[in-house]
Amino acid sequence: MTPKEKAKKLVDKFYSEITGMELSFVSKLIVLPNGDSNYKTAKQCALIAVDEIIKTSGFKVINYWQEVKQEIEKL
């Protein structure tokens, strides 16, 4: 899975936990990302999770997760 795909998947999972709805379903109903406070919260949760992974990972894995983090920030 590419870092961009992983970033989207992580944010989607956190969004689903926060709202009880799949992000892909919600985005079909309304225009989201940057105006939705739940979306911003989901991004922040994903960034926290990735930071924790980076702190406990070996060097090879760190590069991948740093790219995932950059992709989350772009969302």
Side-chain angles (χ1 to χ4, degrees), residues 32-70:
L32 275 183
N34 295 328
D36 184 347
S37 65
N38 290 323
Y39 185 80
K40 290 177 183 178
T41 302
K43 279 179 60 175
Q44 189 60 38
C45 290
L47 288 169
I48 291 167
V50 170
D51 280 340
E52 290 301 311
I53 292 167
I54 289 170
K55 288 178 188 176
T56 60
S57 295
F59 182 75
K60 290 181 183 179
V61 177
I62 289 173
N63 288 336
Y64 172 78
W65 286 104
Q66 286 174 333
E67 288 182 44
V68 171
K69 183 176 178 179
Q70 290 171 353

